[in-house]
Amino acid sequence: MVLQQKQDLHLRMTTELRQAIELLQLSTYDLEQYIREQELENPLIELKESDRNESFQERISTKSSGNGAEQQDWVKQQEESKRDQLIKQVNVSFPDSETRQLLKAIIHNLDDNGYLSTDMQFMDPSRIELGIELLQQIGPPGIGARNLQECLLLQVRRSDIYPELVETFIGDHLTLIAERKWEKIAKSMGISLLQVNELHDYVLTLNPRPCPELSLVTTEFMIPDIVVEETEGKLSFHLNDRGLPKIGLQREYVSSLQGKSELSSYLSEYHKKAQWLLSSIEQRRHTIIRIVTEMLKKQESFFKEGFAALQPMTLKDIADSIEMHESTVSRAVSNKVMQTPVGSFEMRSLFTSKLSGQDGDSISQSAVKSLLQTLIAKEDKRKPLSDQKIADYFIKERGITVSRRTISKYREELQIPSSSKRKGIL
């Protein structure tokens, strides 16, 4: 056994560095919560509320008026669900206790869209039919239906005016309608395609979700972290952090930091933490400003025209431009929302990979998706384009190399049905 001295170098992440990294990826709202937590843990920290006298939690929505002044929209959440309202309506409308009990059982077994669940199978079918019929008198048409077909038929029967053959159209041919086999429907019903088109147009006016507000839903509001504005053709931005409380130090403790007493030693550690917190917040702010400034340079057309003009841009592109590590940029854009003249978006969604063009230029995925939506919107609905034909169109007409599988993937992301399900009647 021999005693030896050895000198090694190790990289260790300090608590302060970990805090700085954590703050970088917090949204402005989460940053406020973090600051308030630090006030409770650090006796030296004293928070001074902003001039706006409101926290991010209290701020529901902010809009800018024509003169630039800010207005507040306060929305009171509905405390009573539609289900509770229906039950109250049952108590008022039906004096018979047995009928009220039946309807309340049905209401409690409705799903969030207003359909009757299968848990009611233990009850007499004739009683269920009666309950559904009575429920139509107090609820929206179609509520309590056991399937889509019944829901649509209930709405038809509640209507004063409807096409003559629509009940047969829905009752006997709903599967064919979903498959858009218009010729087969016309032949089976002995009517023309024009009549089929009229029946289909009427069905589209019906609601497949008769009561989507049945459950109590909490409204969530999105607070932007960065606000981009356009004034006389020029873009500018500011961080939406004016509601953050200001961090100060408790005056009665500052004088105790001097000296070598136990109290000064105790407070010294908290003083370092407070200073590091201030430094980390300022560094976070500086990093975001640098990133957004570069984004405005690279994506000026997007901020004025929308996703159709979004240029290919990766995290590495921004990192190289501002001489910053890619992981730092990734953390800085995480959980951040950007309000722009063309809408509000998550910052990360503005970073897209590139698709190559035949002329050597590149185009972003978002731009291709926008072109795809436009192309499908203008297609002949009698002969909708297949994914392969769309891919061929992009290669020949736009010079964009994209495969059929990629088109299919983008179409699904955009929630656009396949060509067979986009087929129109006339």
Side-chain angles (χ1 to χ4, degrees):
M1 297 178 67
V2 180
L3 289 176
Q4 291 182 334
Q5 286 186 334
K6 188 177 180 181
Q7 189 174 22
D8 291 327
L9 291 176
H10 296 282
L11 288 175
R12 291 186 178 179
M13 184 177 290
T14 63
T15 304
E16 291 81 4
L17 180 58
R18 187 178 293 109
Q19 180 192 57
I21 292 174
E22 180 183 351
L23 291 185
L24 187 59
Q25 54 193 4
L26 292 180
S27 66
T28 310
Y29 171 79
D30 292 332
L31 178 61
E32 182 196 10
Q33 307 308 309
Y34 184 86
I35 292 173
R36 297 192 184 280
E37 289 175 5
Q38 293 302 303
E39 180 191 24
L40 299 176
E41 297 176 5
N42 193 330
L44 276 181
I45 292 180
E46 180 181 27
L47 297 184
K48 180 181 178 182
E49 297 300 330
S50 64
D51 296 336
R52 304 177 69 172
N53 294 321
E54 60 178 6
S55 67
F56 280 92
Q57 189 171 6
E58 294 168 333
R59 191 184 320 150
I60 295 182
S61 177
T62 303
K63 293 184 179 180
S64 297
S65 62
N67 57 8
E70 291 184 343
Q71 301 173 342
Q72 303 298 324
D73 289 342
W74 299 95
V75 179
K76 178 176 174 57
Q77 173 62 43
Q78 180 187 3
E79 297 178 355
E80 188 177 50
S81 69
K82 183 67 174 178
R83 196 187 304 269
D84 295 331
Q85 294 176 8
L86 286 172
I87 291 175
K88 283 187 175 182
Q89 189 66 30
V90 167
N91 292 330
V92 172
S93 304
F94 301 96
D96 181 37
S97 61
E98 187 176 350
T99 302
R100 290 202 303 266
Q101 185 178 0
L102 169 64
L103 290 175
K104 288 178 182 178
I106 291 177
I107 292 171
H108 283 300
N109 280 277
L110 297 177
D111 64 17
D112 290 344
N113 290 322
Y115 284 87
L116 185 62
S117 67
T118 56
D119 295 336
M120 296 289 292
Q121 291 179 352
F122 63 89
M123 188 177 289
D124 182 6
S126 61
R127 294 283 296 164
I128 295 177
E129 294 286 348
L130 175 62
I132 294 174
E133 183 179 345
L134 293 175
L135 193 58
Q136 305 305 304
Q137 300 176 17
I138 60 172
I143 189 171
R146 287 156 290 189
N147 51 57
L148 176 60
Q149 186 180 65
E150 185 178 14
C151 174
L152 299 178
L153 288 173
L154 285 171
Q155 293 179 59
V156 170
R157 291 159 189 165
R158 279 282 301 273
S159 301
D160 295 328
I161 302 174
Y162 55 86
E164 182 180 356
L165 299 174
V166 70
E167 290 191 58
T168 304
F169 185 67
I170 296 173
D172 298 341
H173 303 93
L174 191 60
T175 302
L176 295 177
I177 295 172
E179 296 174 353
R180 308 182 81 81
K181 295 183 177 180
W182 311 120
E183 292 83 359
K184 192 171 182 179
I185 295 173
K187 184 178 180 180
S188 175
M189 295 183 65
I191 58 179
S192 65
L193 286 176
L194 180 60
Q195 290 174 293
V196 172
N197 187 48
E198 292 174 354
L199 293 172
H200 182 247
D201 288 342
Y202 176 81
V203 170
L204 292 178
T205 65
L206 305 178
N207 189 0
R209 301 171 63 193
C211 199
E213 70 279 6
L214 199 60
S215 295
L216 187 62
V217 179
T218 302
T219 304
E220 296 183 2
F221 295 89
M222 182 171 60
I223 301 173
D225 301 278
I226 300 99
V227 178
V228 179
E229 298 173 334
E230 182 182 4
T231 306
E232 296 180 354
K234 294 183 179 181
L235 295 172
S236 61
F237 76 93
H238 66 268
L239 302 189
N240 191 26
D241 57 1
R242 287 172 291 177
L244 288 176
K246 308 299 181 184
I247 301 176
L249 299 178
Q250 297 276 5
R251 292 183 178 180
E252 57 267 28
Y253 290 135
V254 173
S255 58
S256 303
L257 290 170
Q258 307 298 326
K260 297 183 180 180
S261 63
E262 289 185 9
L263 178 60
S264 64
S265 177
Y266 172 77
L267 293 177
S268 178
E269 281 298 316
Y270 284 107
H271 183 256
K272 289 180 181 178
K273 290 181 179 179
Q275 293 296 330
W276 186 268
L277 177 62
L278 285 168
S279 176
S280 299
I281 292 174
E282 184 58 33
Q283 181 63 34
R284 171 188 179 273
R285 179 182 175 84
H286 179 66
T287 300
I288 294 174
I289 288 175
R290 289 181 63 190
I291 292 172
V292 177
T293 300
E294 189 63 26
M295 289 179 66
L296 260 62
K297 292 179 182 177
K298 291 182 177 295
Q299 299 288 3
E300 182 177 358
S301 56
F302 160 75
F303 290 112
K304 294 180 178 180
E305 302 173 23
F307 268 104
L310 185 65
Q311 300 298 315
M313 181 179 66
T314 62
L315 294 172
K316 190 175 187 305
D317 293 336
I318 297 294
D320 292 343
S321 299
I322 61 177
E323 298 180 350
M324 193 175 288
H325 198 276
E326 185 178 344
S327 62
T328 304
V329 177
S330 177
R331 291 188 178 97
V333 301
S334 296
N335 307 311
K336 308 293 189 304
V337 174
M338 180 179 285
Q339 178 181 310
T340 74
V342 293
S344 296
F345 313 96
E346 290 188 4
M347 283 186 68
R348 186 171 286 277
S349 68
L350 304 184
F351 294 88
T352 61
S353 57
K354 306 174 183 178
L355 291 174
S356 60
Q358 293 181 343
D359 54 0
D361 294 333
S362 57
I363 186 171
S364 69
Q365 289 184 357
S366 298
V368 173
K369 290 180 181 178
S370 180
L371 290 172
L372 176 62
Q373 282 183 305
T374 303
L375 178 62
I376 291 178
K378 295 180 178 180
E379 70 182 356
D380 184 356
K381 298 305 178 184
R382 293 172 298 179
K383 296 181 180 179
L385 299 171
S386 65
D387 294 341
Q388 184 60 56
K389 288 183 178 179
I390 294 175
D392 295 340
Y393 168 83
F394 276 119
I395 294 173
K396 295 177 182 178
E397 303 297 331
R398 295 282 183 171
I400 303 171
T401 304
V402 58
S403 66
R404 181 201 60 80
R405 185 173 297 179
T406 302
I407 292 295
S408 177
K409 173 186 172 184
Y410 290 171
R411 181 175 51 73
E412 290 174 359
E413 290 176 357
L414 295 169
Q415 297 183 346
I416 297 175
S418 62
S419 58
S420 63
K421 295 183 178 180
R422 299 200 307 270
K423 186 177 181 182
I425 304 174
L426 298 175

